[in-house]
Every structure is written in structure tokens, then in C-alpha cells.
Amino acid sequence: MSELATPLPDFMAEKPLFMCVMSNTDTAKIPNISAAGKTPELTDYTPAGDCELIELGHIKSVPVLPFSPSGSPTPALITRSALRLSQTPAIYVNSGLRKLPSIPVVDLHATPGADIRSGQAVADVEDIFKNGQLLGEHIGKLSDFIVIGESTPGGTTTALAILRCLGMDGNTSSSISTNPMGLKMRIVNEAMEKSSIGFGDLTDDPLRAVELFGDPMMPAVAGLAEGLCNNDAKVVLAGGTQMVAVLAIIRALGIEGDISIATTKFVANDTSAHFHEMVDSLGYHAYVTDPGFYNSDIDGLLGYERGEVKEGVGAGGALLLAAMAGVGQDEILTDVESFYRQLVEEST
Amino acid sequence: MSELATPLPDFMAEKPLFMCVMSNTDTAKIPNISAAGKTPELTDYTPAGDCELIELGHIKSVPVLPFSPSGSPTPALITRSALRLSQTPAIYVNSGLRKLPSIPVVDLHATPGADIRSGQAVADVEDIFKNGQLLGEHIGKLSDFIVIGESTPGGTTTALAILRCLGMDGNTSSSISTNPMGLKMRIVNEAMEKSSIGFGDLTDDPLRAVELFGDPMMPAVAGLAEGLCNNDAKVVLAGGTQMVAVLAIIRALGIEGDISIATTKFVANDTSAHFHEMVDSLGYHAYVTDPGFYNSDIDGLLGYERGEVKEGVGAGGALLLAAMAGVGQDEILTDVESFYRQLVEEST
């Protein structure tokens, strides 16, 4: 695969928009769950750092660059290059952040998520959904094509829990190269047992599933999708198995519209997860993108090819926007490499 | 004058948008300065209540309806009807609110304004301006015509201070029927004397003027205008003499673009203020709108004709959007009356 996006959409977007919904949870702080931050505590800063990198080109309110413990940079670098080169506008959404970025963010008044083993992972799920919908109703009158990414450390564990409550078998991907599926499954089983919820028990009540075992990003994105689709805008969820979980919620809620999913090849080709199988079984269309990192001589970027980082901050969907705007894989790679070198220089 | 808007713009807006920038200040709490709230303390809730009324049709997170002490309803009723009937999308911006509304709001990370006699009215003015600009750069890629209103109790006093620092003579309007110009001028003089700033002294440093004597709405709107104009969007500031002060800041900053101002006839015809003279001397174009309240038999609406409330929450600009969408004055009046009756019924 050498193309930026496969397939390319067969329509033009007149007023494309990228949105990024950000959340923090205590689930992310369970040891060895997330590599989205050098330590579990630092995952609180990852969403803020991600969107400051995209918007400002540097971190401002966070102490360290959101690099993985292995030294691979956050996918925010991909998102930044893709949005810059395609000149796509962006709107950032705070759905339960513990650390705010120093850029304009839409506040949905969500509180950060708790540990999913606590008995209530997300407070005020209906309010978050409704605020997402309100925002979507307005944005859907301005943009005809909205790509929604997320930055939610620990999100593949909450995604796994949601998929299981909604009766979907399949592994979620991971920000860690050796996907800790065993650990994630133990955490999820413990959480579900504690609330006496079994596999498929919440198929008819997806927002209850989110309340018990999800994260605050999920109802925000589902609500956004509802509001956007009410205005006939096309919606692409940008992410890996975390967004598959949101798709499952959207389908269970009966939200109808032109909704699809876009992710990177690093997720799509991840043999430890089941991206395509799950998207197919839900009945949605998937776009797969490739920033061409195998052509790089930067080890941090080659880490993506080794599976050390796979997706996040809507990187796959941002690449789709770039591909639709006629940006080439080589332009993306050159821009990401240049930005990576600048960041490393500045931080040493 | 019987038309909704005079003149009507000679262009069509493809993707019109209404924005509302909200701030709280301690200047609003100086006794007898503002009628935007039944008591000085309640002015903290007025912006939140205003935009909840527009967005939700009821107040949610505030204790009382934002009605003036005389019983006239907030101009948010006009804004709501105008946006509803024209189906214009809206984005709400928090630039230093003390009380947050329970709807999606873009957070610019501003702190509430202090009393202008304190020596520093607005903290981090440059940051607010830059965040406004960042937001404007994105929004300007989605919308070609943006009407920016505000809800900032006490704002005609901060506006007066800014106009005087920037060398503009003229009275500002008031939310009070008997414009307390003497009191406002005393407060402004006291503030300027304390900082040793005389008339016209800050013509070359408008953001310093905002820092000393302004409110957090001002740099947000000026920054928005900069970002929007950079993307060739047309900008209409929606308000009375408060927005004249922002126009003065915009001109002093050298921001160039298609910028104009829209207000209600209640401000434009206010003989205690000098709206037209000031707009003319700044060299901008003004639209004047009229919701036709003289045809109403509701005393709270007739209060507008008596000057008890004049403008706010971008009511004048929202009427301009309605007029451009072909909405008639009679439709506006009927819708405002119906909503007014519903609110009064619900609150008794």
C-alpha cells in the first residue's frame, strides 16, 4: 500500500472540518494500560499536549512532549501535518479533561472519567450527549464533512468494555506494541462482574454502558454525530478500535446518517486486534490511511511500522482529509519529519 | 422606520454564523451601573442566562430570568427569535465568565474582569486576543459572514473608558432608561486618574487600554475579527456603544477587512448616546434594526420603545441575519411575544 488513503471518497467536501474530542480518565492510570504518556500520571497531560502541538506547533501548558515510553512521537504530528497541508480548519472539544490546553476549546461541561472498576465511569452521560448534539446541530450547518478524532488515554480499555457490553467480540488495539489484551480483559471483566453485567447485556442501553464502563469522549462523539447527521453532514469517526466502540454506540442508539470510520494502517493491520471484522459486522465503511513512515530514517517514526504507536488524535482521519485535498504521502512524510526534528531539537 | 433592517446588505451570505462572546466583570457590580440583572450580584448570571435562553429556550444553571429591574426581558429573546426563524447556527464564547451556562461554550481561558478602578481590569489581554484570533482563523474557513454579539454586564462603562483612552469623545448608551452618564464618567475618570492616563493617551496601544480599563470581551472580539478577516470573511459587530469601543480598538490595531456594525434602533436613536457620530468618525458602516415592538401590547416589550432596554446579546445583528434570510418584522414580533408569554407563565 503506497497511497495516502484507501479508498479515496467518491465525493468532494466543500467545507471540511476536523474536530478532536478530548477526555481524561482514571482508567488510563492503571499501570501498563496506556502508552499515551511516559508515565500513567502524565496521561492527564497527553490530550492537552496533543492539541497544543497541532494548533501551536509546540507544547505550552504541559510539562513534557507526549511521546511514548519507547520514544515514538504522538500521532498528533501526523494530524498536524495533514491539517496544515490541507488547510483544514479544526475545532477542539473538552469532554472531561483534567488538564486544559492553552488554545480555544469547546467545553461540554463533562467531568473526567473514573476507573471503570468503580461502578460509575462517566457522570451525566445524557448531558454530555445532549451538549455534543447541540454543538453538532450548529456545526452541521457550517460544514458538510466532519472528521472527528479523539485523544483519550486508556481509551482502548474503555472501548473493549463497551464492545463487550454491546455484544461484540473482538480485541481492541493498543498504544503499546505488545498489546496487553490479557490485562485489559481482566480489568474489563472485573468491572463488568462488579456491576453484574455480562457480555451483550446492554445492547439496548448503550448510554448506560457508557455510564458504567465507558469514557466521556464516547457520548460527546455520539451526540456530535447525531447533531451533524440531523443536518445532513457526512461524518467520519477518526480512530481505531476506540472509534469502533463509538460506532457500536451510534448503531445501538439508532442514529442514522452518512457515518464512516477512518484509521491508520497501523491499526487496520494490527493482528492483535480486529478492526476490519468489527467495522464490517457493524455495517460501516472504513478508510485506511498510510503516512509512508516506512520511507523514513527516523527511528521514532519507524516505531509506528513496528506497532509501537498506531493511531490517535484523529491521525488516520486527518490523513484522509489531506488525501481528499490532493496532498501526497511524500509531502506528509517530509512535513512530519521536519516537525519531529524541530521538536527533538527544541527539547534537548 | 418599519423595516427589520436598514439598509439591507447588498450581498448574500452563504454560510452565515452568529457568535456571542460573554464576560463578567466587577465593574458591573458598582451600584447603579448596569440594569443587566435585577441586582448587581445577579449580573454574574446574566450572560449564562442569556445564552441558555437562546439555545435551550429556558434557563438551566441560573436562578432567575435575566429581566431588567423594570421588568423588561433581556434582548436574548430577540436574538433567539431572529436566529430560530433564520435558522442561523450559533457559537458561544466564554471570555471570562464567572458563571458558566449549561450549553457548549468555547473557552478562551480568560479570567473575569476586575473593577476598572483597580489598576488592572483585564489579565492576559494578549493571550485572549491570540485565542480569539486562533478561533477566528478556523471559523473563517467555514463561514463567510459572521455576526458577533456580546453579553457583558457593565460593558458600557468599560466601553466609555476605552473610547476616552483612544481619544474618542461621545457618550455610551446604557441598559438603564435614564443613562447614568454622570456616574459612568466619574468611575472612568477615577480609573484613568489612578493610572495617570489622560484622554487619548493610549491611541497607539489599544490592548494596554483594554488591560487597564476594558473588559475581557473586547480582546476576544478584536482577535476573532483579526482571524476571520485573515480568511476574507465578512464581520459584523453586533451591539451598541460597547461594540463601537471594539471598533475603535480594531481600527487602532490596524486590523483590516470587511467589518461593520449592527445595532437596534433603541441604541441608534438614543439621544443620550452618540452611536452614529462615533461609528461615522471611525469610518465604519452601520446597520440599524427594528423588531417592531411598538406594535406590541406587552408592556415589557414596549419598555424597549421607552428605552428601558436597548440592545445586548447581539440582538441587533441577529435581526440583521433574520432580515437577510427574508424573515419579516411581524414574524419576529409574533415569535418574541409568544416566547415572552411562555417564559412569564413558566416563572409564575
Side-chain angles (χ1 to χ4, degrees):
Chain A
M1 189 164 59
S2 63
E3 294 296 321
L4 198 52
T6 311
L8 259 184
D10 57 2
F11 56 85
M12 299 284 287
E14 276 183 42
K15 296 275 185 186
L17 171 67
F18 179 80
M19 299 183 78
C20 183
V21 179
M22 301 172 285
S23 304
N24 288 123
T25 72
D26 284 340
T27 303
K29 294 182 179 170
I30 300 170
N32 304 316
I33 278 285
S34 174
K38 289 212 177 194
T39 70
E41 281 63 40
L42 283 174
T43 64
D44 273 351
Y45 291 97
T46 298
D50 276 345
C51 66
E52 286 181 352
L53 281 181
I54 297 172
E55 186 72 5
L56 307 173
H58 56 86
I59 49 174
K60 190 170 173 186
S61 63
V62 304
V64 294
L65 284 169
F67 278 33
S68 75
S70 68
S72 279
T74 165
L77 273 73
I78 302 174
T79 308
R80 174 177 164 83
S81 290
L83 297 181
R84 258 168 49 91
L85 293 171
S86 61
Q87 294 186 46
T88 308
I91 291 177
Y92 304 89
V93 180
N94 166 11
S95 187
L97 283 180
R98 203 163 267 126
K99 304 291 175 188
L100 289 179
S102 296
I103 61 167
V105 280
V106 184
D107 186 357
L108 300 186
H109 313 297
T111 46
D115 187 316
I116 61 169
R117 298 166 300 181
S118 69
Q120 193 201 44
V122 184
D124 305 318
V125 172
E126 292 269 359
D127 286 347
I128 302 172
F129 181 89
K130 278 181 192 154
N131 274 337
Q133 183 181 348
L134 275 178
L135 180 61
E137 299 276 357
H138 293 296
I139 299 296
K141 291 188 175 74
L142 298 173
S143 170
D144 57 326
F145 183 74
I146 299 94
V147 171
I148 310 177
E150 57 72 39
S151 179
T152 311
T156 61
T157 300
T158 45
L160 179 65
I162 292 302
L163 289 167
R164 294 194 67 76
C165 294
L166 299 186
M168 289 199 59
D169 229 343
N171 291 349
T172 57
S173 197
S174 172
S175 59
I176 302 174
S177 52
T178 53
N179 192 351
M181 266 311 293
L183 171 62
K184 290 199 284 191
M185 198 61 91
R186 274 201 306 281
I187 304 283
V188 168
N189 284 340
E190 194 182 323
M192 290 174 69
E193 275 162 28
K194 184 163 178 173
S195 295
S196 306
I197 298 290
F199 182 86
D201 278 1
L202 294 174
T203 310
D204 296 332
D205 198 353
L207 292 187
R208 174 75 179 144
V210 172
E211 182 179 14
L212 288 172
F213 313 118
D215 59 56
M217 174 276 289
M218 295 167 168
V221 174
L224 269 173
E226 164 93 36
L228 293 168
C229 288
N230 286 347
N231 286 279
D232 296 325
K234 293 182 170 71
V235 176
V236 178
L237 304 193
T241 41
Q242 289 183 246
M243 283 303 188
V244 174
V246 179
L247 274 185
I249 294 164
I250 283 173
R251 201 187 63 164
L253 286 170
I255 296 171
E256 297 201 346
D258 190 331
I259 301 173
S260 53
I261 187 168
T263 194
T264 62
K265 71 166 189 182
F266 311 115
V267 165
N269 299 346
D270 178 5
T271 52
S272 75
H274 304 102
F275 176 80
H276 280 300
E277 294 88 330
M278 293 193 285
V279 173
D280 286 349
S281 81
L282 285 165
Y284 292 96
H285 180 75
Y287 299 98
V288 178
T289 58
D290 178 2
F293 284 179
Y294 55 90
N295 283 322
S296 182
D297 51 9
I298 294 176
D299 192 62
L301 300 186
L302 288 168
Y304 278 74
E305 297 283 340
R306 293 190 298 266
E308 287 166 18
V309 188
K310 298 181 189 73
E311 166 67 288
V313 215
L319 288 176
L320 179 68
L321 285 162
M324 290 169 72
V327 177
Q329 202 182 49
D330 49 340
E331 289 173 86
I332 293 285
L333 179 60
T334 305
D335 199 69
V336 170
E337 287 182 329
S338 148
F339 185 49
Y340 174 87
R341 289 197 183 96
Q342 176 198 320
L343 285 178
V344 171
E345 263 173 41
E346 285 169 0
S347 69
T348 49
Chain B
M1 189 163 59
S2 65
E3 294 296 323
L4 199 52
T6 311
L8 261 183
D10 57 2
F11 56 85
M12 299 284 288
E14 277 184 42
K15 297 274 184 188
L17 171 67
F18 179 80
M19 300 183 78
C20 183
V21 179
M22 300 171 286
S23 304
N24 287 123
T25 72
D26 285 339
T27 303
K29 295 183 179 169
I30 301 170
N32 304 314
I33 277 287
S34 173
K38 289 211 178 194
T39 69
E41 282 62 39
L42 283 174
T43 64
D44 273 352
Y45 290 96
T46 298
D50 277 344
C51 66
E52 286 181 352
L53 281 181
I54 298 172
E55 186 73 6
L56 307 173
H58 56 86
I59 50 174
K60 190 170 172 186
S61 64
V62 304
V64 293
L65 284 169
F67 279 32
S68 75
S70 67
S72 279
T74 164
L77 273 74
I78 303 173
T79 308
R80 174 177 165 83
S81 290
L83 298 181
R84 257 168 50 90
L85 293 171
S86 61
Q87 295 185 47
T88 308
I91 291 178
Y92 304 89
V93 179
N94 166 11
S95 187
L97 282 181
R98 203 165 268 127
K99 304 290 176 189
L100 287 179
S102 296
I103 62 168
V105 280
V106 184
D107 187 357
L108 300 185
H109 313 298
T111 45
D115 187 315
I116 60 169
R117 297 167 300 182
S118 70
Q120 192 200 45
V122 184
D124 304 320
V125 172
E126 293 269 0
D127 287 346
I128 302 172
F129 181 88
K130 278 182 192 154
N131 274 337
Q133 183 181 348
L134 276 177
L135 180 62
E137 300 275 358
H138 292 296
I139 299 295
K141 293 188 173 74
L142 298 173
S143 171
D144 57 326
F145 183 74
I146 299 95
V147 171
I148 311 176
E150 57 72 39
S151 180
T152 311
T156 60
T157 301
T158 45
L160 179 65
I162 293 302
L163 289 167
R164 295 193 66 76
C165 293
L166 299 186
M168 288 197 60
D169 228 343
N171 291 350
T172 56
S173 196
S174 173
S175 58
I176 303 174
S177 52
T178 53
N179 192 350
M181 269 308 297
L183 171 62
K184 291 199 285 192
M185 198 62 92
R186 273 200 307 281
I187 304 284
V188 168
N189 284 339
E190 194 184 321
M192 290 174 69
E193 275 162 27
K194 186 164 177 173
S195 295
S196 306
I197 298 290
F199 182 87
D201 278 1
L202 294 173
T203 310
D204 296 333
D205 198 352
L207 292 187
R208 175 74 179 147
V210 172
E211 182 179 15
L212 288 173
F213 312 118
D215 59 56
M217 174 277 287
M218 295 166 167
V221 174
L224 270 173
E226 165 92 36
L228 293 167
C229 289
N230 286 347
N231 286 278
D232 295 325
K234 292 182 171 71
V235 176
V236 178
L237 304 193
T241 41
Q242 290 183 247
M243 283 304 190
V244 174
V246 179
L247 275 185
I249 293 165
I250 284 173
R251 201 186 65 166
L253 287 170
I255 296 170
E256 298 201 346
D258 189 331
I259 301 172
S260 52
I261 188 167
T263 195
T264 62
K265 71 167 188 181
F266 312 114
V267 165
N269 299 345
D270 178 4
T271 51
S272 75
H274 303 102
F275 176 81
H276 280 300
E277 294 87 331
M278 292 193 286
V279 173
D280 287 349
S281 81
L282 285 165
Y284 292 96
H285 180 74
Y287 299 98
V288 177
T289 59
D290 178 3
F293 284 178
Y294 56 91
N295 283 320
S296 181
D297 51 8
I298 294 176
D299 192 62
L301 300 186
L302 288 168
Y304 279 75
E305 297 283 340
R306 294 190 298 266
E308 287 167 19
V309 189
K310 298 181 188 75
E311 165 68 288
V313 214
L319 288 175
L320 179 68
L321 285 162
M324 290 169 72
V327 177
Q329 201 182 49
D330 50 341
E331 290 173 85
I332 293 286
L333 178 60
T334 305
D335 199 69
V336 170
E337 286 181 329
S338 149
F339 185 49
Y340 174 87
R341 290 197 182 95
Q342 176 197 321
L343 286 177
V344 171
E345 265 173 39
E346 286 170 0
S347 68
T348 51

